[in-house]
mmCIF file of all heavy atoms in Angstrom:
data_model
loop_
_atom_site.group_PDB
_atom_site.id
_atom_site.type_symbol
_atom_site.label_atom_id
_atom_site.label_comp_id
_atom_site.label_asym_id
_atom_site.label_seq_id
_atom_site.Cartn_x
_atom_site.Cartn_y
_atom_site.Cartn_z
ATOM 1 N N SER A 53 89.059 101.471 101.198
ATOM 2 C CA SER A 53 88.206 102.151 102.156
ATOM 3 C C SER A 53 89.016 103.187 102.914
ATOM 4 O O SER A 53 90.207 103.008 103.154
ATOM 5 C CB SER A 53 87.598 101.155 103.152
ATOM 6 O OG SER A 53 86.807 100.184 102.503
ATOM 7 N N CYS A 54 88.359 104.263 103.296
ATOM 8 C CA CYS A 54 88.970 105.299 104.112
ATOM 9 C C CYS A 54 88.010 105.645 105.232
ATOM 10 O O CYS A 54 86.889 106.083 104.968
ATOM 11 C CB CYS A 54 89.290 106.539 103.274
ATOM 12 S SG CYS A 54 90.000 107.911 104.209
ATOM 13 N N ALA A 55 88.448 105.437 106.455
ATOM 14 C CA ALA A 55 87.640 105.744 107.622
ATOM 15 C C ALA A 55 88.130 107.035 108.251
ATOM 16 O O ALA A 55 89.331 107.210 108.472
ATOM 17 C CB ALA A 55 87.718 104.599 108.634
ATOM 18 N N ALA A 56 87.209 107.935 108.542
ATOM 19 C CA ALA A 56 87.532 109.238 109.118
ATOM 20 C C ALA A 56 87.100 109.304 110.570
ATOM 21 O O ALA A 56 86.082 108.731 110.959
ATOM 22 C CB ALA A 56 86.858 110.354 108.329
ATOM 23 N N SER A 57 87.883 110.011 111.364
ATOM 24 C CA SER A 57 87.537 110.248 112.755
ATOM 25 C C SER A 57 87.882 111.684 113.122
ATOM 26 O O SER A 57 88.777 112.291 112.535
ATOM 27 C CB SER A 57 88.269 109.274 113.686
ATOM 28 O OG SER A 57 89.676 109.449 113.611
ATOM 29 N N ASP A 58 87.158 112.214 114.092
ATOM 30 C CA ASP A 58 87.393 113.564 114.602
ATOM 31 C C ASP A 58 87.255 114.637 113.525
ATOM 32 O O ASP A 58 87.961 115.650 113.545
ATOM 33 C CB ASP A 58 88.767 113.666 115.271
ATOM 34 C CG ASP A 58 88.905 112.765 116.481
ATOM 35 O OD1 ASP A 58 87.886 112.528 117.159
ATOM 36 O OD2 ASP A 58 90.029 112.297 116.751
ATOM 37 N N VAL A 59 86.353 114.430 112.606
ATOM 38 C CA VAL A 59 86.037 115.426 111.595
ATOM 39 C C VAL A 59 84.522 115.494 111.440
ATOM 40 O O VAL A 59 83.807 114.529 111.729
ATOM 41 C CB VAL A 59 86.681 115.134 110.228
ATOM 42 C CG1 VAL A 59 88.196 115.093 110.336
ATOM 43 C CG2 VAL A 59 86.136 113.830 109.648
ATOM 44 N N THR A 60 84.047 116.661 111.005
ATOM 45 C CA THR A 60 82.646 116.774 110.627
ATOM 46 C C THR A 60 82.542 116.284 109.199
ATOM 47 O O THR A 60 82.541 117.054 108.241
ATOM 48 C CB THR A 60 82.157 118.221 110.777
ATOM 49 O OG1 THR A 60 82.482 118.707 112.088
ATOM 50 C CG2 THR A 60 80.647 118.296 110.584
ATOM 51 N N PHE A 61 82.466 114.965 109.075
ATOM 52 C CA PHE A 61 82.687 114.307 107.802
ATOM 53 C C PHE A 61 81.785 114.830 106.690
ATOM 54 O O PHE A 61 82.237 114.999 105.547
ATOM 55 C CB PHE A 61 82.501 112.789 107.971
ATOM 56 C CG PHE A 61 82.832 111.999 106.746
ATOM 57 C CD1 PHE A 61 84.142 111.717 106.415
ATOM 58 C CD2 PHE A 61 81.819 111.537 105.916
ATOM 59 C CE1 PHE A 61 84.448 110.984 105.283
ATOM 60 C CE2 PHE A 61 82.115 110.798 104.787
ATOM 61 C CZ PHE A 61 83.430 110.524 104.469
ATOM 62 N N ARG A 62 80.532 115.079 106.979
ATOM 63 C CA ARG A 62 79.587 115.471 105.940
ATOM 64 C C ARG A 62 79.951 116.793 105.275
ATOM 65 O O ARG A 62 79.467 117.084 104.188
ATOM 66 C CB ARG A 62 78.171 115.548 106.507
ATOM 67 C CG ARG A 62 77.974 116.684 107.508
ATOM 68 C CD ARG A 62 76.583 116.647 108.127
ATOM 69 N NE ARG A 62 76.361 117.784 109.010
ATOM 70 C CZ ARG A 62 76.782 117.839 110.271
ATOM 71 N NH1 ARG A 62 77.444 116.824 110.809
ATOM 72 N NH2 ARG A 62 76.532 118.921 111.014
ATOM 73 N N LEU A 63 80.796 117.607 105.908
ATOM 74 C CA LEU A 63 81.191 118.900 105.367
ATOM 75 C C LEU A 63 82.428 118.822 104.482
ATOM 76 O O LEU A 63 82.786 119.814 103.849
ATOM 77 C CB LEU A 63 81.453 119.888 106.497
ATOM 78 C CG LEU A 63 80.286 120.172 107.443
ATOM 79 C CD1 LEU A 63 80.725 121.146 108.523
ATOM 80 C CD2 LEU A 63 79.091 120.708 106.682
ATOM 81 N N TYR A 64 83.084 117.679 104.430
ATOM 82 C CA TYR A 64 84.364 117.569 103.751
ATOM 83 C C TYR A 64 84.241 117.077 102.321
ATOM 84 O O TYR A 64 83.433 116.200 102.006
ATOM 85 C CB TYR A 64 85.297 116.626 104.523
ATOM 86 C CG TYR A 64 85.973 117.285 105.698
ATOM 87 C CD1 TYR A 64 85.264 117.602 106.846
ATOM 88 C CD2 TYR A 64 87.333 117.588 105.658
ATOM 89 C CE1 TYR A 64 85.879 118.218 107.921
ATOM 90 C CE2 TYR A 64 87.961 118.191 106.724
ATOM 91 C CZ TYR A 64 87.232 118.501 107.856
ATOM 92 O OH TYR A 64 87.858 119.099 108.923
ATOM 93 N N HIS A 65 85.065 117.671 101.469
ATOM 94 C CA HIS A 65 85.275 117.179 100.119
ATOM 95 C C HIS A 65 86.314 116.061 100.201
ATOM 96 O O HIS A 65 87.416 116.274 100.696
ATOM 97 C CB HIS A 65 85.785 118.316 99.230
ATOM 98 C CG HIS A 65 85.967 117.957 97.807
ATOM 99 N ND1 HIS A 65 85.092 118.364 96.819
ATOM 100 C CD2 HIS A 65 86.927 117.240 97.181
ATOM 101 C CE1 HIS A 65 85.509 117.917 95.664
ATOM 102 N NE2 HIS A 65 86.617 117.226 95.853
ATOM 103 N N MET A 66 85.958 114.880 99.727
ATOM 104 C CA MET A 66 86.817 113.713 99.855
ATOM 105 C C MET A 66 87.430 113.338 98.515
ATOM 106 O O MET A 66 86.761 113.384 97.480
ATOM 107 C CB MET A 66 86.035 112.522 100.405
ATOM 108 C CG MET A 66 85.381 112.768 101.761
ATOM 109 S SD MET A 66 86.603 113.068 103.080
ATOM 110 C CE MET A 66 87.512 111.515 103.061
ATOM 111 N N SER A 67 88.696 112.946 98.563
ATOM 112 C CA SER A 67 89.401 112.586 97.342
ATOM 113 C C SER A 67 90.312 111.396 97.590
ATOM 114 O O SER A 67 90.741 111.131 98.718
ATOM 115 C CB SER A 67 90.255 113.748 96.824
ATOM 116 O OG SER A 67 89.460 114.873 96.509
ATOM 117 N N TRP A 68 90.601 110.693 96.512
ATOM 118 C CA TRP A 68 91.642 109.670 96.497
ATOM 119 C C TRP A 68 92.777 110.147 95.608
ATOM 120 O O TRP A 68 92.538 110.589 94.484
ATOM 121 C CB TRP A 68 91.120 108.332 95.977
ATOM 122 C CG TRP A 68 90.254 107.594 96.944
ATOM 123 C CD1 TRP A 68 88.899 107.592 96.999
ATOM 124 C CD2 TRP A 68 90.710 106.727 97.998
ATOM 125 N NE1 TRP A 68 88.465 106.781 98.018
ATOM 126 C CE2 TRP A 68 89.549 106.237 98.653
ATOM 127 C CE3 TRP A 68 91.959 106.323 98.449
ATOM 128 C CZ2 TRP A 68 89.615 105.361 99.735
ATOM 129 C CZ3 TRP A 68 92.037 105.452 99.532
ATOM 130 C CH2 TRP A 68 90.879 104.982 100.153
ATOM 131 N N TYR A 69 93.994 110.051 96.119
ATOM 132 C CA TYR A 69 95.212 110.335 95.374
ATOM 133 C C TYR A 69 96.059 109.070 95.322
ATOM 134 O O TYR A 69 95.856 108.143 96.098
ATOM 135 C CB TYR A 69 96.023 111.445 96.039
ATOM 136 C CG TYR A 69 95.430 112.831 95.957
ATOM 137 C CD1 TYR A 69 94.352 113.208 96.749
ATOM 138 C CD2 TYR A 69 95.972 113.787 95.094
ATOM 139 C CE1 TYR A 69 93.824 114.481 96.685
ATOM 140 C CE2 TYR A 69 95.448 115.066 95.030
ATOM 141 C CZ TYR A 69 94.379 115.407 95.825
ATOM 142 O OH TYR A 69 93.859 116.681 95.763
ATOM 143 N N ARG A 70 97.023 109.062 94.428
ATOM 144 C CA ARG A 70 97.982 107.971 94.406
ATOM 145 C C ARG A 70 99.360 108.499 94.048
ATOM 146 O O ARG A 70 99.495 109.532 93.392
ATOM 147 C CB ARG A 70 97.562 106.873 93.428
ATOM 148 C CG ARG A 70 97.602 107.278 91.955
ATOM 149 C CD ARG A 70 97.033 106.161 91.096
ATOM 150 N NE ARG A 70 97.094 106.475 89.680
ATOM 151 C CZ ARG A 70 96.539 105.739 88.724
ATOM 152 N NH1 ARG A 70 95.869 104.629 89.046
ATOM 153 N NH2 ARG A 70 96.643 106.097 87.454
ATOM 154 N N GLN A 71 100.368 107.781 94.495
ATOM 155 C CA GLN A 71 101.738 108.158 94.210
ATOM 156 C C GLN A 71 102.551 106.905 93.921
ATOM 157 O O GLN A 71 102.674 106.028 94.776
ATOM 158 C CB GLN A 71 102.363 108.931 95.370
ATOM 159 C CG GLN A 71 103.733 109.496 95.061
ATOM 160 C CD GLN A 71 104.195 110.493 96.095
ATOM 161 O OE1 GLN A 71 103.749 110.469 97.239
ATOM 162 N NE2 GLN A 71 105.081 111.385 95.702
ATOM 163 N N ALA A 72 103.084 106.831 92.715
ATOM 164 C CA ALA A 72 103.945 105.740 92.310
ATOM 165 C C ALA A 72 105.399 106.145 92.524
ATOM 166 O O ALA A 72 105.722 107.336 92.557
ATOM 167 C CB ALA A 72 103.703 105.380 90.846
ATOM 168 N N PRO A 73 106.301 105.178 92.671
ATOM 169 C CA PRO A 73 107.716 105.505 92.862
ATOM 170 C C PRO A 73 108.245 106.403 91.752
ATOM 171 O O PRO A 73 108.049 106.123 90.568
ATOM 172 C CB PRO A 73 108.394 104.140 92.841
ATOM 173 C CG PRO A 73 107.346 103.189 93.300
ATOM 174 C CD PRO A 73 106.065 103.724 92.727
ATOM 175 N N GLY A 74 108.905 107.486 92.144
ATOM 176 C CA GLY A 74 109.481 108.406 91.189
ATOM 177 C C GLY A 74 108.506 109.350 90.531
ATOM 178 O O GLY A 74 108.904 110.113 89.648
ATOM 179 N N LYS A 75 107.245 109.317 90.945
ATOM 180 C CA LYS A 75 106.235 110.176 90.351
ATOM 181 C C LYS A 75 105.609 111.098 91.390
ATOM 182 O O LYS A 75 105.683 110.844 92.588
ATOM 183 C CB LYS A 75 105.144 109.344 89.678
ATOM 184 C CG LYS A 75 105.604 108.548 88.468
ATOM 185 C CD LYS A 75 104.430 107.871 87.780
ATOM 186 C CE LYS A 75 104.856 107.146 86.528
ATOM 187 N NZ LYS A 75 103.701 106.512 85.848
ATOM 188 N N GLU A 76 104.991 112.160 90.901
ATOM 189 C CA GLU A 76 104.268 113.073 91.773
ATOM 190 C C GLU A 76 102.953 112.449 92.209
ATOM 191 O O GLU A 76 102.376 111.608 91.514
ATOM 192 C CB GLU A 76 104.002 114.393 91.050
ATOM 193 C CG GLU A 76 105.244 115.162 90.639
ATOM 194 C CD GLU A 76 105.991 115.714 91.823
ATOM 195 O OE1 GLU A 76 105.341 116.109 92.822
ATOM 196 O OE2 GLU A 76 107.226 115.754 91.764
ATOM 197 N N ARG A 77 102.485 112.871 93.361
ATOM 198 C CA ARG A 77 101.174 112.439 93.810
ATOM 199 C C ARG A 77 100.114 113.024 92.883
ATOM 200 O O ARG A 77 100.138 114.221 92.566
ATOM 201 C CB ARG A 77 100.938 112.879 95.255
ATOM 202 C CG ARG A 77 99.662 112.329 95.865
ATOM 203 C CD ARG A 77 99.578 112.637 97.357
ATOM 204 N NE ARG A 77 100.639 111.993 98.101
ATOM 205 C CZ ARG A 77 100.736 112.005 99.432
ATOM 206 N NH1 ARG A 77 99.815 112.633 100.157
ATOM 207 N NH2 ARG A 77 101.745 111.398 100.026
ATOM 208 N N GLU A 78 99.185 112.184 92.445
ATOM 209 C CA GLU A 78 98.174 112.621 91.497
ATOM 210 C C GLU A 78 96.774 112.350 92.020
ATOM 211 O O GLU A 78 96.537 111.365 92.715
ATOM 212 C CB GLU A 78 98.364 111.938 90.136
ATOM 213 C CG GLU A 78 98.180 110.429 90.169
ATOM 214 C CD GLU A 78 98.222 109.798 88.785
ATOM 215 O OE1 GLU A 78 97.909 110.487 87.794
ATOM 216 O OE2 GLU A 78 98.575 108.606 88.699
ATOM 217 N N LEU A 79 95.868 113.230 91.655
ATOM 218 C CA LEU A 79 94.467 113.071 92.010
ATOM 219 C C LEU A 79 93.845 111.982 91.148
ATOM 220 O O LEU A 79 93.973 112.001 89.926
ATOM 221 C CB LEU A 79 93.723 114.383 91.826
ATOM 222 C CG LEU A 79 92.217 114.380 92.082
ATOM 223 C CD1 LEU A 79 91.920 114.059 93.541
ATOM 224 C CD2 LEU A 79 91.608 115.723 91.697
ATOM 225 N N VAL A 80 93.154 111.058 91.783
ATOM 226 C CA VAL A 80 92.511 109.953 91.096
ATOM 227 C C VAL A 80 91.010 110.177 90.969
ATOM 228 O O VAL A 80 90.431 110.014 89.894
ATOM 229 C CB VAL A 80 92.785 108.624 91.815
ATOM 230 C CG1 VAL A 80 92.013 107.475 91.167
ATOM 231 C CG2 VAL A 80 94.281 108.325 91.818
ATOM 232 N N ALA A 81 90.370 110.531 92.080
ATOM 233 C CA ALA A 81 88.925 110.692 92.098
ATOM 234 C C ALA A 81 88.536 111.578 93.263
ATOM 235 O O ALA A 81 89.250 111.657 94.264
ATOM 236 C CB ALA A 81 88.219 109.341 92.208
ATOM 237 N N SER A 82 87.408 112.251 93.150
ATOM 238 C CA SER A 82 86.915 113.094 94.226
ATOM 239 C C SER A 82 85.399 113.058 94.259
ATOM 240 O O SER A 82 84.746 112.765 93.255
ATOM 241 C CB SER A 82 87.412 114.538 94.081
ATOM 242 O OG SER A 82 86.913 115.136 92.903
ATOM 243 N N ILE A 83 84.856 113.382 95.426
ATOM 244 C CA ILE A 83 83.412 113.428 95.617
ATOM 245 C C ILE A 83 83.101 114.596 96.541
ATOM 246 O O ILE A 83 83.766 114.791 97.554
ATOM 247 C CB ILE A 83 82.873 112.081 96.162
ATOM 248 C CG1 ILE A 83 81.348 112.102 96.265
ATOM 249 C CG2 ILE A 83 83.521 111.732 97.502
ATOM 250 C CD1 ILE A 83 80.753 110.716 96.482
ATOM 251 N N THR A 84 82.100 115.381 96.185
ATOM 252 C CA THR A 84 81.801 116.595 96.929
ATOM 253 C C THR A 84 81.119 116.302 98.248
ATOM 254 O O THR A 84 80.598 115.206 98.482
ATOM 255 C CB THR A 84 80.927 117.545 96.103
ATOM 256 O OG1 THR A 84 79.685 116.908 95.781
ATOM 257 C CG2 THR A 84 81.630 117.966 94.826
ATOM 258 N N ASP A 85 81.101 117.331 99.114
ATOM 259 C CA ASP A 85 80.495 117.180 100.435
ATOM 260 C C ASP A 85 78.982 117.045 100.376
ATOM 261 O O ASP A 85 78.384 116.268 101.120
ATOM 262 C CB ASP A 85 80.899 118.355 101.336
ATOM 263 C CG ASP A 85 80.611 119.712 100.694
ATOM 264 O OD1 ASP A 85 80.376 119.775 99.474
ATOM 265 O OD2 ASP A 85 80.634 120.716 101.423
ATOM 266 N N ILE A 86 78.359 117.825 99.506
ATOM 267 C CA ILE A 86 76.909 117.815 99.367
ATOM 268 C C ILE A 86 76.537 117.453 97.946
ATOM 269 O O ILE A 86 77.059 118.030 96.989
ATOM 270 C CB ILE A 86 76.305 119.183 99.734
ATOM 271 C CG1 ILE A 86 76.659 119.550 101.175
ATOM 272 C CG2 ILE A 86 74.795 119.177 99.545
ATOM 273 C CD1 ILE A 86 76.210 120.941 101.575
ATOM 274 N N GLY A 87 75.667 116.482 97.810
ATOM 275 C CA GLY A 87 75.187 116.084 96.497
ATOM 276 C C GLY A 87 75.915 114.909 95.887
ATOM 277 O O GLY A 87 75.396 114.282 94.956
ATOM 278 N N GLY A 88 77.108 114.619 96.360
ATOM 279 C CA GLY A 88 77.840 113.463 95.874
ATOM 280 C C GLY A 88 78.318 113.555 94.439
ATOM 281 O O GLY A 88 78.441 112.526 93.764
ATOM 282 N N LYS A 89 78.588 114.762 93.951
ATOM 283 C CA LYS A 89 79.139 114.911 92.614
ATOM 284 C C LYS A 89 80.539 114.315 92.568
ATOM 285 O O LYS A 89 81.359 114.574 93.439
ATOM 286 C CB LYS A 89 79.184 116.380 92.213
ATOM 287 C CG LYS A 89 79.703 116.620 90.805
ATOM 288 C CD LYS A 89 79.720 118.101 90.465
ATOM 289 C CE LYS A 89 80.268 118.337 89.074
ATOM 290 N NZ LYS A 89 80.314 119.784 88.742
ATOM 291 N N VAL A 90 80.813 113.519 91.540
ATOM 292 C CA VAL A 90 82.084 112.813 91.446
ATOM 293 C C VAL A 90 82.861 113.252 90.214
ATOM 294 O O VAL A 90 82.289 113.656 89.207
ATOM 295 C CB VAL A 90 81.875 111.288 91.425
ATOM 296 C CG1 VAL A 90 81.207 110.825 92.712
ATOM 297 C CG2 VAL A 90 81.041 110.873 90.216
#
């Protein structure tokens, strides 16, 4: 879960990233601000 504060949340494109030891941070998943495209 990710809880947001002090943002106009509905306008933001939200994403999950991950970073393993010795690796670059990588995009895992994203969801758009309007319409919920994933």
Side-chain angles (χ1 to χ4, degrees):
S53 300
C54 178
S57 63
D58 297 329
V59 300
T60 308
F61 185 79
R62 68 185 184 278
L63 301 179
Y64 279 72
H65 183 105
M66 302 296 299
S67 299
W68 286 96
Y69 289 75
R70 68 186 182 187
Q71 187 168 24
K75 294 186 177 181
E76 298 291 325
R77 187 172 297 186
E78 64 174 334
L79 177 64
V80 175
S82 64
I83 184 167
T84 61
D85 53 345
I86 301 175
K89 182 180 179 181
V90 298

